[in-house]
């Protein structure tokens, strides 16, 4: 498979195409008697031994250029690890973990756009005596369709490079983009983003031929990018197979097999199988079946025809040998807490079949590494066979089922006032260890089954039993309140029989006004006063926890709507009549109150100081004089009222 951009094709496509490159890539290293490079399969659940990159993409001279720089580690929402079954891709509908049985996959990129690019690379050295070497990856791509030319579209790039000789292995380096690809299997997602179609391609397999690179250091580099106009996104899922061998799948068979199924590398358009002398066609599918099995040492060949622009034609030879050894791997004994799903077995190996017994509690009886969550301790037996049935091996794993009571009980009240004498006591079932948490932070010394909460917060416990199950309980919110001090509200100046709204502080759950006289409803926070005479009210505020606060509100009543302004004031600092300010009777708002001297200079505006005028103008105390005031207000019925008068400033 090769890079389509190098083919010289340059077209404008009449669709708006978005690349959700959900490429989940699984590499099947083919080495003889050699362990796979550490964590190339992500099976540690980390990015160890991988190098992560972030960067950007641009169209330069009719070419797509991805610029990347290494990062200290995985970048949130750009290099994402998936462990176990974590659902399906939002657009493609396929599982985010490759369905080859791997325990872990990663995602490169996201659906945010912005011209972002991401990458991840791994370097390894092919053994010096291994001149036949290939990698197989599984991919599933999803692309937003941006109506762009090919070099401008979101994409997934896979580059194989011989680092020893500083050469890109062109026949094994591929680019996947949204529209114009000749690869089959693309479909339109039922879900759009920004009214733009999303094209998807479900999981597929492709092999990378690295023959002839014995002793060379190879770098695998996976890259994703948005479109070069930054609006449309591309991202990919990636994983690596755990199996490392050196032949075609099925080339090594068991002496007792009844049939040999040999599978050629993945991802080619055409396959033609021949005998060793190329005088007989054995088959034209990716897998050829030979029945009965041939003598050990028999050679066969396969001609591979790639999709246009995605690889190089090649002919591969394989020797069939009856030296396959089957080892069942049920895995280590594990603990399942409260029917928690735990993984057993090991990653699958091509050419083998798997069968588990009993079926109770298993996610699958035919997967190499199913999830198990039995209700009782269970011994599971794994039977592993070769495709031809000639080899069989069995192994057993014990899944210990343990149940922890994670119920959380409360004695007392979940909400109370600190002065009430009430309390909130939390209980769990006694176990080996208990640790209480407040707002997800451990409470120092709170390690008993009983805990008395002394602060407001969200509480839960983590319980560990003798078998090692450590589980969190449910949580409870505890509210412990402290009473608010009482206050006296500002005086309300009302007019006879004119409705005036009142408002209590919003610190309680209920409010009761006393006395009830002249109030529209004494049991609300905002009653309306309509009265004939002055009243002093108390308002009892009761909080959810039972704390009580009693505030006071004085309502003065005047005969008519009016601004009441004194005829004189004495701003001498004695605390008596030091400010000039109106008493607004029957108004819901004072629009302005202004004071002028006899020359018409504005000496004070109420918006400057709501307390009123203190007789100071431009920083200087004013001498005894007569001043003029003007006022405007809005009455409770919305009428604009204006008034003016004079006042004597006395020193």
């Amino acid at each position: 498979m090769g890079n389509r951009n190098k083919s010289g094709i340059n077209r404008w496509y009449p669709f708006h195409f978005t690349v959700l490159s959900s490429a989940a890539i699984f590499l099947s290293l083919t080495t003889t008697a050699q362990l796979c490079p550490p964590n190339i399969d992500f099976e540690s659940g980390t990015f160890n031994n991988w190098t992560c990159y972030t960067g950007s993409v641009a169209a330069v001279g009719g070419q797509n250029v991805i610029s990347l720089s290494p990062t200290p580690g995985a970048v949130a929402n750009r290099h994402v690890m998936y462990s176990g079954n974590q659902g399906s891709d939002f657009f493609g509908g396929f599982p985010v973990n490759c369905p080859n049985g791997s325990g872990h996959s990663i995602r490169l990129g996201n659906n945010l756009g912005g011209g972002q690019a991401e990458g991840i690379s791994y370097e390894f050295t092919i053994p010096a005596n291994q001149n036949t070497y290939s990698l197989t990856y599984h991919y599933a791509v999803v692309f937003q369709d941006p109506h762009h030319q090919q070099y401008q579209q979101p994409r997934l790039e896979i580059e194989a490079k011989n680092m020893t000789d500083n050469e890109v292995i062109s026949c094994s380096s591929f680019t996947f983009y949204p529209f114009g690809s000749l690869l089959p299997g693309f479909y339109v997602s039922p879900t759009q983003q920004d009214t733009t179609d999303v094209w998807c391609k479900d999981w597929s397999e492709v092999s990378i031929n690295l023959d002839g690179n014995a002793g060379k250091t190879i770098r695998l580099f996976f890259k994703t990018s948005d479109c070069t106009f930054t609006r449309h996104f591309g991202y990919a899922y990636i994983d690596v197979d755990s199996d490392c061998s050196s032949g075609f799948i099925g080339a090594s068979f068991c002496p007792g097999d009844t049939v040999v199924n040999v599978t050629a590398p993945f991802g080619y358009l055409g396959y033609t199988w021949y005998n060793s002398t190329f005088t007989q066609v054995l088959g034209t599918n990716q897998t050829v079946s030979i029945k009965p099995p041939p003598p050990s040492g028999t050679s066969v060949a396969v001609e591979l025809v790639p999709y246009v622009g995605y690889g190089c034609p090649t002919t591969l030879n394989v020797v069939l040998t009856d030296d396959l050894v089957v080892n069942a791997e049920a895995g280590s004994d594990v603990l399942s807490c409260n029917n928690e799903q735990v993984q057993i077995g090991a990653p699958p190996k091509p050419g083998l079949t798997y069968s588990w017994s009993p079926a109770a509690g298993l996610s699958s009886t035919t997967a190499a590494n199913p999830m198990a969550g039995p209700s009782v301790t269970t011994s599971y037996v794994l039977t592993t066979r070769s495709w031809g049935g000639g080899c069989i091996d069995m192994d057993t794993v014990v899944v210990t089922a343990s149940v922890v009571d994670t119920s959380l009980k409360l004695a007392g009240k979940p909400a109370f006032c600190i002065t009430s004498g009430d309390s909130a006591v939390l209980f769990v079932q006694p176990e080996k260890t208990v640790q209480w948490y407040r707002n997800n932070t451990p409470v120092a010394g709170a390690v008993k089954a009983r805990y008395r909460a002394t602060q407001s917060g969200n509480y839960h416990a983590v319980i560990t039993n003798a078998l090692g199950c450590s589980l969190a309980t449910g949580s409870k919110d505890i509210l412990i309140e402290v009473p608010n001090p009482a206050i006296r509200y500002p005086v309300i100046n009302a007019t006879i029989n004119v409705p005036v709204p009142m408002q209590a502080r919003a610190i309680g759950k209920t409010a009761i006004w006393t006395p009830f006289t002249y109030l529209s409803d004494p049991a609300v926070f905002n009653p309306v006063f309509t009265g004939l005479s002055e009243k002093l009210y108390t308002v009892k505020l009761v909080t959810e926890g039972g704390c009580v606060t009693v505030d006071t509100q004085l309502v003065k009543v005047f005969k008519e709507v009016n601004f009441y302004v004194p005829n004189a004031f004495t701003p001498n600092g004695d605390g008596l009549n030091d400010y000039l300010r109106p008493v607004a009777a029957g108004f819901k708002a004072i629009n302005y109150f202004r004071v002028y001297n006899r020359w018409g200079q504005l000496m004070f505006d109420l918006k400057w100081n709501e307390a009123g005028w203190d007789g100071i103008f431009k920083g200087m105390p004013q001498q005894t004089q007569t001043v003029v005031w003007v006022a405007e207000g809005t009455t409770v019925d919305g009428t604009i009222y204006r008034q003016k008068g004079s006042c004597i400033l006395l020193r």
Side-chain angles (χ1 to χ4, degrees):
M1 293 187 169
N3 188 328
R4 292 276 298 174
N5 293 330
K6 297 179 180 178
S7 67
I9 297 175
N10 187 15
R11 301 174 187 162
W12 178 264
Y13 293 101
F15 302 122
H16 192 182
F17 221 110
T18 301
V19 173
L20 248 180
S21 165
S22 252
I25 304 155
F26 289 81
L27 309 176
S28 179
L29 293 175
T30 54
T31 61
T32 300
Q34 176 198 354
L35 294 175
C36 292
N39 200 43
I40 197 169
D41 54 6
F42 299 111
E43 288 309 296
S44 70
T46 69
F47 289 89
N48 292 346
N49 300 319
W50 287 86
T51 301
C52 296
Y53 304 79
T54 58
S56 59
V57 64
V60 181
Q63 296 291 320
N64 184 279
V65 178
I66 296 177
S67 302
L68 295 173
S69 299
T71 59
V75 177
N77 201 32
R78 299 181 77 175
H79 307 92
V80 180
M81 179 69 64
Y82 292 98
S83 299
N85 181 10
Q86 291 189 247
S88 301
D89 179 80
F90 178 74
F91 297 95
F94 48 76
V96 296
N97 235 352
C98 180
N100 75 335
S102 172
H104 304 275
S105 297
I106 70 164
R107 190 190 78 223
L108 281 184
N110 52 56
N111 67 333
L112 301 180
Q116 294 181 340
E118 296 79 25
I120 188 166
S121 70
Y122 193 105
E123 290 190 15
F124 63 96
T125 301
I126 298 175
N129 62 347
Q130 192 66 52
N131 220 28
T132 301
Y133 203 97
S134 66
L135 304 172
T136 299
Y137 64 87
H138 300 219
Y139 74 96
V141 293
V142 184
F143 295 134
Q144 198 176 12
D145 174 10
H147 269 277
H148 301 331
Q149 298 188 50
Q150 291 175 12
Y151 69 90
Q152 300 165 333
Q153 295 176 2
R155 65 198 52 232
L156 163 70
E157 291 187 1
I158 302 167
E159 178 189 87
K161 186 174 184 179
N162 177 346
M163 302 299 289
T164 303
D165 301 326
N166 194 31
E167 295 178 349
V168 174
I169 305 171
S170 59
C171 288
S172 297
S173 298
F174 319 124
T175 297
F176 303 93
Y177 49 87
F179 190 72
S181 170
L182 297 180
L183 290 176
F186 279 96
Y187 58 93
V188 178
S189 169
T191 304
Q192 291 184 331
Q193 178 160 310
D194 300 328
T195 68
T196 302
D197 281 340
V198 174
W199 285 68
C200 314
K201 189 174 189 297
D202 206 345
W203 291 95
S204 303
E205 295 176 278
V206 174
S207 297
I208 297 178
N209 186 355
L210 297 174
D211 291 353
N213 287 293
K216 302 297 179 68
T217 297
I218 305 298
R219 183 183 69 183
L220 302 178
F221 208 148
F222 305 99
K223 309 172 187 179
T224 56
S225 70
D226 301 328
C227 79
T228 59
F229 292 99
T230 75
R231 175 185 172 186
H232 305 100
F233 58 84
Y235 65 82
Y237 297 99
I238 298 173
D239 194 10
V240 178
D241 196 359
S242 300
D243 182 55
C244 298
S245 60
S246 63
F248 287 19
I249 298 171
S252 179
F253 61 95
C254 288
D257 283 346
T258 59
V259 63
V260 173
N261 295 318
V262 187
T263 300
F266 297 93
Y268 287 85
L269 174 63
Y271 300 86
T272 305
W273 292 88
Y274 296 92
N275 61 5
S276 60
T277 60
F278 286 84
T279 58
Q280 181 184 358
V281 175
L282 304 178
T284 56
N285 295 320
Q286 183 185 1
T287 298
V288 64
S289 294
I290 304 175
K291 184 177 182 179
S296 183
T298 298
S299 295
V300 296
V302 60
E303 287 185 352
L304 305 175
V305 179
Y307 291 95
V308 177
Y310 283 87
C312 303
T314 187
T315 299
L316 301 177
N317 296 284
V318 60
V319 178
L320 310 182
T321 58
D322 61 354
D323 57 359
L324 179 63
V325 177
V326 173
N327 291 311
E329 298 180 67
S332 302
D333 293 346
V334 289
L335 175 67
S336 172
C337 304
N338 289 21
N339 297 110
E340 173 194 12
Q341 295 287 302
V342 294
Q343 195 161 49
I344 57 177
K349 295 182 179 180
L352 302 179
T353 63
Y354 304 90
S355 177
W356 291 88
S357 179
L362 293 182
S363 61
S364 171
T365 59
T366 58
N369 50 355
M371 304 301 291
S375 57
V376 296
T377 298
T378 304
S379 293
Y380 290 104
V381 179
L382 169 65
T383 301
T384 304
R385 293 180 174 86
S386 60
W387 271 352
C391 290
I392 185 170
D393 192 40
M394 303 176 73
D395 193 19
T396 301
V397 62
V398 177
V399 180
T400 300
S402 181
V403 176
V404 179
D405 186 347
T406 58
S407 61
L408 178 63
K409 298 179 180 178
L410 170 67
K413 296 181 178 180
F416 60 91
C417 187
I418 198 169
T419 60
S420 67
D422 292 324
S423 64
V425 180
L426 301 167
F427 295 89
V428 295
Q429 291 299 314
E431 286 289 358
K432 183 179 179 181
T433 65
V434 175
Q435 174 62 61
W436 290 93
Y437 288 76
R438 174 178 173 268
N439 297 335
N440 294 320
T441 300
V443 179
V447 295
K448 303 293 185 181
R450 176 182 181 276
Y451 178 74
R452 183 176 184 273
T454 58
Q455 292 179 281
S456 295
N458 179 267
Y459 288 87
H460 77 276
V462 173
I463 304 170
T464 304
N465 68 4
L467 291 176
C469 285
S470 185
L471 298 172
T473 68
S475 64
K476 287 191 181 294
D477 290 318
I478 303 299
L479 177 63
I480 305 175
E481 295 183 333
V482 176
N484 288 278
I487 65 170
R488 188 179 186 94
Y489 300 157
V491 174
I492 293 177
N493 298 304
T495 305
I496 292 176
N497 285 329
V498 176
V500 176
M502 304 203 296
Q503 181 65 55
R505 286 192 289 169
I507 62 172
K509 185 178 180 180
T510 63
I512 298 295
W513 296 77
T514 305
F516 300 167
T517 309
Y518 302 145
L519 298 182
S520 60
D521 187 344
V524 296
F525 282 84
N526 55 346
V528 175
F529 173 92
T530 308
L532 301 173
S533 61
E534 178 179 303
K535 284 293 178 182
L536 177 63
Y537 293 97
T538 62
V539 53
K540 181 180 179 181
L541 303 170
V542 182
T543 66
E544 183 178 355
C547 288
V548 177
T549 299
V550 180
D551 292 340
T552 56
Q553 171 71 75
L554 176 63
V555 181
K556 291 185 176 181
V557 178
F558 297 83
K559 293 182 179 180
E560 59 184 356
V561 173
N562 203 356
F563 284 107
Y564 294 92
V565 181
N567 294 325
F569 77 113
T570 56
N572 55 13
D574 64 355
L576 300 173
N577 204 25
D578 286 331
Y579 290 89
L580 178 62
R581 191 183 191 283
V583 173
F587 294 94
K588 65 179 180 181
I590 298 177
N591 300 333
Y592 59 78
F593 175 77
R594 296 164 184 160
V595 178
Y596 298 86
N597 62 18
R598 61 180 177 173
W599 294 284
Q601 286 181 291
L602 177 63
M603 306 178 71
F604 175 74
D605 192 323
L606 192 63
K607 66 182 180 181
W608 299 346
N609 185 354
E610 292 185 357
W613 185 41
D614 59 1
I616 295 176
F617 178 57
K618 292 185 177 181
M620 298 293 294
Q622 299 300 296
Q623 299 301 314
T624 297
Q625 60 183 289
T626 298
V627 296
V628 176
W629 57 265
V630 294
E632 179 186 283
T634 302
T635 64
V636 293
D637 63 0
T639 301
I640 300 298
Y641 181 88
R642 297 180 182 88
Q643 189 176 337
K644 64 180 180 180
S646 62
C647 179
I648 299 174
L649 185 159
L650 296 173
R651 288 290 183 186

